[in-house]
Amino acid sequence: MNCLHIKLPDGTARKIALGSRPKVIGSDEDADIILEDAAISRYHCTVAVSPNGIHVQDLTSATGTRINGRAVTSAILQNGDKLEVGPFTFIAECAVTAGFGTAIRLVEEQFAVGKGFQTFLGEIAAEGQAPPPKPPATGGPEAKP
């Protein structure tokens, strides 16, 4: 199930299931997910399930929308990512399989630690291959005539 987990200021936790239609997060009474705080715009952002995760779209909010500490206007949440809306933090739980966005992020992480393209591809290719067979035992020092 695709959902968002939030811990509210009073300490209670809430799990918000995401269905097939987008949900609006905001302070307006018409928002699907209502957050009461001066830092929350009436219609702050939307969240919607997509093939690659949970799509987040900022609705030109006054204080912005952040994912894992980075300001975004539009982005895909992956499992475990933090969506920050004003003082509220949601944790994404995604039931979708890893897609293109995940692949790109994995490649970026490898490049960030200094691996080159050929090294990274070589490691991927090596993971898909069986180890070479061991050579047959020949008459060594223990062999008797």
Side-chain angles (χ1 to χ4, degrees), residues 41-71:
S41 294
R42 289 177 51 225
Y43 302 102
H44 200 98
C45 65
T46 60
V47 290
V49 176
S50 78
N52 293 323
I54 298 170
H55 180 254
V56 177
Q57 179 73 47
D58 185 77
L59 300 175
T60 62
S61 63
T63 58
T65 301
R66 303 176 77 76
I67 295 178
N68 299 326
R70 294 176 49 192

Side-chain angles (χ1 to χ4, degrees), residues 7-136:
K7 189 171 184 180
L8 298 169
D10 65 4
T12 60
R14 188 171 155 204
K15 182 177 181 177
I16 302 162
L18 301 176
S20 58
R21 76 175 187 87
K23 291 192 181 291
V24 175
I25 298 174
S27 62
D28 193 89
E29 64 184 32
D30 289 332
D32 299 299
I33 302 169
I34 300 170
L35 301 176
E36 296 178 8
D37 189 272
I40 307 298
S41 294
R42 289 177 51 225
Y43 302 102
H44 200 98
C45 65
T46 60
V47 290
V49 176
S50 78
N52 293 323
I54 298 170
H55 180 254
V56 177
Q57 179 73 47
D58 185 77
L59 300 175
T60 62
S61 63
T63 58
T65 301
R66 303 176 77 76
I67 295 178
N68 299 326
R70 294 176 49 192
V72 298
T73 54
S74 179
I76 299 291
L77 287 170
Q78 300 294 324
N79 200 43
D81 282 346
K82 294 179 182 179
L83 168 62
E84 300 160 40
V85 180
F88 300 94
T89 300
F90 297 86
I91 306 295
E93 181 181 329
C94 303
V96 295
T97 58
F100 184 71
T102 300
I104 294 297
R105 187 165 56 179
L106 291 173
V107 170
E108 287 174 342
E109 288 172 1
Q110 294 300 310
F111 289 167
V113 296
K115 288 189 181 173
F117 189 68
Q118 288 191 346
T119 301
F120 183 53
L121 288 179
E123 289 175 357
I124 292 171
E127 287 179 12
Q129 296 177 357
K134 292 183 179 181

